[in-house]
Amino acid sequence: MSTEHKKSFLLFLLITLSSFSIDAICIPRNSTSAPSPTPIPSSSPVESPQPFLDATSPFKIPHVSSLVPHVSGLLPSLSVTVGAGVQKICDSTSYPVECVDSLLPHISGEASLDVISAVKFQMEAFSKAIEQAIANATNLKDPSTEKMIANTIDACIESYTDSQDCLKKALEAIAAHDIGTLNSELSAALTGIVTCDDGFEELQVPGLKSPVAEIDQKLQKLASNCLAIGKLLQW
């Protein structure tokens, strides 16, 4: 073979081998048998955020993402599943978390709950909270308490007691199927709580904070829920 023919043959062989190598690593676009590429480990893996409520739970809280940062540590556990009836009732309130928390001791699993029972249980929770508020306010006073502060605390205790009386009348209204009286008595019970807060604000003492502000906030939420659930009654 001449030198020129040898060069041509070698050139042909090199081109052939190059084409074979390229074809050997080419993967068809729609191939189902192509091996998956080995993932490159990230130096700082990011975990997907866990949902506040399980997606399968029938209970949904509106705007939960905006609520969580403001009530951290105050939310009851919602890992239980509540029935659709309880969900519907609590969805009608301004404070569904507190609503469910008050009703949980009276329901089991997905058991349903009628509106009359729900408003009674909510009123029961409200009444117990008022009892605690009266006890706390009474313990706030001692001989060293300034007179105007002591008088305001006494006014709060009186307002709490009035709210308790309103709840008793509200229960009587339920027994009588008197929605008008029920709503008016529950509204009066809420007013009694607000009156307590107003008393400390009216003192206008720089730097003075109501010593019952936290429990009054809880009472106002329970009172609001009682009103909201009471409006669901139909006779």
Side-chain angles (χ1 to χ4, degrees), residues 123 126 162-174 178-192 223 226-227:
M123 289 167 63
F126 185 21
D162 289 343
S163 293
Q164 282 282 42
D165 291 338
C166 291
L167 285 180
K168 293 177 182 178
K169 294 177 181 178
L171 282 174
E172 295 174 357
I174 291 176
D178 187 345
I179 294 181
T181 299
L182 172 64
N183 289 333
S184 63
E185 293 298 339
L186 290 177
S187 295
L190 173 58
T191 300
C226 287
L227 272 167

Side-chain angles (χ1 to χ4, degrees), residues 102-103 106-107 113 116-126:
S102 299
L103 298 182
H106 306 283
I107 59 178
L113 192 68
I116 294 180
S117 296
V119 71
K120 286 182 177 180
F121 292 147
Q122 198 74 196
M123 289 167 63
E124 178 184 325
F126 185 21

Side-chain angles (χ1 to χ4, degrees), residues 7-205:
K7 290 182 179 179
S8 299
F9 176 78
L10 288 174
L11 180 61
F12 172 80
L13 182 61
L14 286 173
I15 294 174
T16 302
L17 290 174
S18 299
S19 299
F20 176 79
S21 300
I22 294 172
D23 291 340
I25 63 173
C26 182
I27 300 175
R29 292 186 179 182
N30 299 321
S31 173
T32 57
S33 60
S36 300
T38 302
I40 300 174
S42 173
S43 58
S44 57
V46 179
E47 296 183 358
S48 299
Q50 296 298 317
F52 180 68
L53 290 179
D54 186 82
T56 60
S57 173
F59 184 76
K60 298 178 180 62
I61 300 178
H63 311 298
V64 168
S65 59
S66 63
L67 287 174
V68 173
H70 303 291
V71 293
S72 178
L74 298 179
L75 295 178
S77 172
L78 295 179
S79 59
V80 297
T81 301
V82 295
V86 176
Q87 174 191 335
K88 183 176 180 181
I89 290 172
C90 288
D91 280 350
S92 70
T93 69
S94 297
Y95 307 100
V97 172
E98 286 76 7
C99 174
V100 173
D101 191 31
S102 299
L103 298 182
L104 279 180
H106 306 283
I107 59 178
S108 176
E110 298 185 24
S112 184
L113 192 68
D114 60 88
V115 176
I116 294 180
S117 296
V119 71
K120 286 182 177 180
F121 292 147
Q122 198 74 196
M123 289 167 63
E124 178 184 325
F126 185 21
S127 178
K128 289 181 178 179
I130 291 176
E131 291 176 2
Q132 186 62 53
I134 292 175
N136 290 349
T138 302
N139 292 333
L140 287 173
K141 296 192 307 175
D142 59 46
S144 64
T145 305
E146 293 186 20
K147 185 176 181 179
M148 65 177 182
I149 301 296
N151 289 341
T152 305
I153 292 175
D154 285 337
C156 282
I157 294 174
E158 184 177 350
S159 295
Y160 294 153
T161 304
D162 289 343
S163 293
Q164 282 282 42
D165 291 338
C166 291
L167 285 180
K168 293 177 182 178
K169 294 177 181 178
L171 282 174
E172 295 174 357
I174 291 176
H177 290 192
D178 187 345
I179 294 181
T181 299
L182 172 64
N183 289 333
S184 63
E185 293 298 339
L186 290 177
S187 295
L190 173 58
T191 300
I193 308 304
V194 175
T195 299
C196 174
D197 281 340
D198 291 344
F200 281 98
E201 291 181 5
E202 290 169 1
L203 292 178
Q204 296 183 343
V205 177

